[in-house]
Amino acid sequence: MADDTQGATTPQPATAPSMNLVGQYIRDLSFENPGAPATLLSGGGNPAFNVSISVGVKKQNDEIYAVELTLNAKANREETVLFNVELVYGGIFRLKNVPENQLSPLLMIECPRLIFPFARQVLASVTQQGGFPPLMMEPVDFSAIYRQNLAKLAAQQGGAGAAAPADGETLN
């Protein structure tokens, strides 16, 4: 059988951009249930939730980046704290041959999008194990967060143009 690809202009695999998820980890997990068991026994109205998320990137070497999601969730019923949870969930990504102008969006949008479902599951499981219904976060639009933070960065720099976040910089 003849090789039909001879002379074809397909990109060489050695130079094609690639992204691989090398591993995932929990760096920090804290669950506080300060009123237990009383808060689990007392009924009452629906609690108020405050949930926040931030993304951080740390370059490990030329190809390896650690992307971490920090999820904070707090539930209150009136003045009583029902639970407070903080999770720092990370992914280790190997990026090869990614053009510089595509690096920041890849690290701040696509990488968090890949690991978010796993962080969300940890958060749900921890709140359930704490005696509450599982907290299921809504899907997150990391692209919108990235755009908002670029706009904030540009405003802080006096409108001198939006620059990509530096290594180790966190976008909230």
Side-chain angles (χ1 to χ4, degrees):
M1 187 167 181
D3 187 0
D4 293 333
T5 61
Q6 286 182 346
T9 58
T10 58
Q12 296 299 322
T15 60
S18 69
M19 177 180 75
N20 300 94
L21 178 58
V22 177
Q24 298 180 64
Y25 58 93
I26 295 172
R27 188 167 60 84
D28 186 23
L29 176 59
S30 171
F31 181 83
E32 298 173 20
N33 189 353
T39 53
L40 299 173
L41 297 172
S42 65
N46 288 333
F49 290 96
N50 183 9
V51 180
S52 67
I53 185 168
S54 65
V55 178
V57 175
K58 293 180 184 165
K59 186 174 185 175
Q60 304 300 303
N61 64 39
D62 287 342
E63 305 182 333
I64 304 292
Y65 294 83
V67 177
E68 293 183 341
L69 299 176
T70 301
L71 304 174
N72 291 298
K74 188 174 186 178
N76 295 310
R77 183 174 294 127
E78 297 165 9
E79 297 298 316
T80 305
V81 174
L82 299 178
F83 68 80
N84 190 8
V85 62
E86 178 183 339
L87 169 64
V88 179
Y89 191 89
I92 303 167
F93 293 87
R94 175 176 288 121
L95 304 176
K96 291 184 180 180
N97 304 316
V98 175
E100 191 67 32
N101 65 341
Q102 294 176 6
L103 192 58
S104 185
L106 188 62
L107 289 167
M108 300 302 290
I109 299 170
E110 295 307 321
C111 292
R113 189 177 295 163
L114 287 172
I115 62 173
F116 175 74
F118 301 99
R120 177 184 177 206
Q121 182 58 44
V122 170
L123 188 66
S125 178
V126 166
T127 55
Q128 185 175 31
Q129 294 299 316
F132 299 95
L135 177 61
M136 297 300 289
M137 286 184 66
E138 293 291 323
V140 175
D141 184 354
F142 290 101
S143 181
I145 294 171
Y146 179 71
R147 286 190 308 271
Q148 289 170 357
N149 284 296
L150 282 181
K152 279 188 214 173
L153 187 60
Q156 289 173 354
Q157 295 176 350
D167 291 332
E169 185 168 344
T170 301
L171 293 181
N172 294 322

